[in-house]
Amino acid sequence: MVAWFDVWAATEAINAICVRSWRRKGVAAYLVLACSQQHSFINLFSSSHNHPPSPIMNPDASATIKATYTKRSSTYESASQSSFHFCQAQEYIQRANLQPGQSVLDLACGTGLVTIPAKQYVGPTGRVVGIDFSDGMLDVARRKTSEQGLDIRYIEHDIRYIEHDITDLAPLELDKFDVITCASALLLMPDPRYAVKHWSSLLVPGGRLLTDVVLERSLVAHTILTHIGPEVGRALLWDSSWVENENSLKELFIDAGLVVEEVYESDGYETREYRVEDGAEVFEQSMFRKLGDLEIREEAKELFVERFREMAGQDGVVREEVRFYMGIARKEL
């Protein structure tokens, strides 16, 4: 979901096959630190049982992600960190076309940027549930909800690995929903296809799912770190290797048995410019600075600065525009 993007690299080595595959595909950039729009991301409804996690991703990412967002929760919605998240949340609400009395499940809800407006639209007769595994982010969401006098159920839960089927969520007492949203978190799933399939099982017939993936090369820091992670032997907290264009999201929906309503490229949520000499500073604002030993970090930093310089225009400025592929699908009647 770059100063306001925490792009992570973790400590698991990637085997040579994965590295070659990544380089061959030229992996599209993605994820945001918020690239959850709002959120601290939960790796939701994915399985390590019959559907093993992506070898590109760090299998132990949850603790790192949770700690990061809990620490940032009190300042998460400051303009400098989350300006694009508000714009994205508004688009989710507009495209969801929520009606009074409907039920909504907001996955990776974070501080409630989608959750709270959703409740305002469905009204007192509607039902809204938000799930996130950062207690700090949920504390902010609950406070905002209370201040507005709304009735929203928040659940602190990390359901990254589900061993069997959706009935494993029974303790959460989740029912079927008219609309499910998951903003800027899909690429954190070890198995996105299996995740979407499980989400669809929580929809009522005719219910709609809205989610997104970041546009290739949309985020400068993420783009660079995606490529240099394998070069320095670091597994990542996301896997964008399956995203080639908007058809990748369409295929994901179809594989899950959903009817594709629309997949489109969003408007630019935010643009930023960096001087070419800012490369080292941008690197230091990423999560890579906290992970791995000093030698690895220095190697990664050197590579980052080199690639950052290559991305600059003739005027010595590196530009980025935040865009996403937004996908809307529905469950057949």
Side-chain angles (χ1 to χ4, degrees), residues 44 154 164 260 314:
L44 295 166
Y154 292 103
H164 304 293
V260 178
Q314 293 183 349

Side-chain angles (χ1 to χ4, degrees), residues 13 40 49 55 67 139 145 148 153 158 179 186 189 203 216 237 239 250 260-261 284 289 307 320:
S40 65
H49 186 59
D139 284 346
T145 299
Q148 298 184 43
R153 183 184 181 193
D158 178 5
V179 176
L186 183 59
M189 310 302 148
L203 288 169
E216 315 90 84
L237 300 188
D239 177 9
K250 291 180 181 179
V260 178
E261 289 191 357
E284 291 298 336
R289 73 190 188 281
R307 305 294 170 79
E320 69 177 2

Side-chain angles (χ1 to χ4, degrees), residues 102-143:
Q102 285 188 319
S103 57
V104 181
L105 173 62
D106 185 20
L107 301 173
C109 67
T111 59
L113 294 180
V114 171
T115 329
I116 292 173
K119 179 59 178 177
Q120 294 169 336
Y121 272 82
V122 302
T125 60
R127 179 173 61 101
V128 177
V129 176
I131 302 181
D132 203 292
F133 73 166
S134 166
D135 53 349
M137 300 293 272
L138 289 177
D139 284 346
V140 175
R142 291 185 176 110
R143 174 181 53 77

Side-chain angles (χ1 to χ4, degrees), residues 44-45 105 107 131 153 155 157-162 165-175 198-199 201-202:
L44 295 166
F45 302 172
L105 173 62
L107 301 173
I131 302 181
R153 183 184 181 193
I155 299 171
H157 199 69
D158 178 5
I159 44 182
R160 179 176 181 175
Y161 300 118
I162 296 179
D165 56 25
I166 206 65
T167 59
D168 284 2
L169 296 179
L172 301 182
E173 299 177 355
L174 298 181
D175 202 348
H198 273 290
W199 295 344
S201 71
L202 287 176

Side-chain angles (χ1 to χ4, degrees), residues 281-296:
E281 180 182 352
V282 174
F283 175 86
E284 291 298 336
Q285 293 170 343
S286 76
M287 280 298 294
F288 213 124
R289 73 190 188 281
K290 297 181 179 180
L291 299 173
D293 56 37
L294 180 61
E295 182 178 355
I296 290 294

Side-chain angles (χ1 to χ4, degrees), residues 51-68:
H51 298 256
S54 164
I56 290 175
M57 296 177 63
N58 183 329
D60 301 316
S62 294
T64 301
I65 298 172
K66 181 176 181 178
T68 298

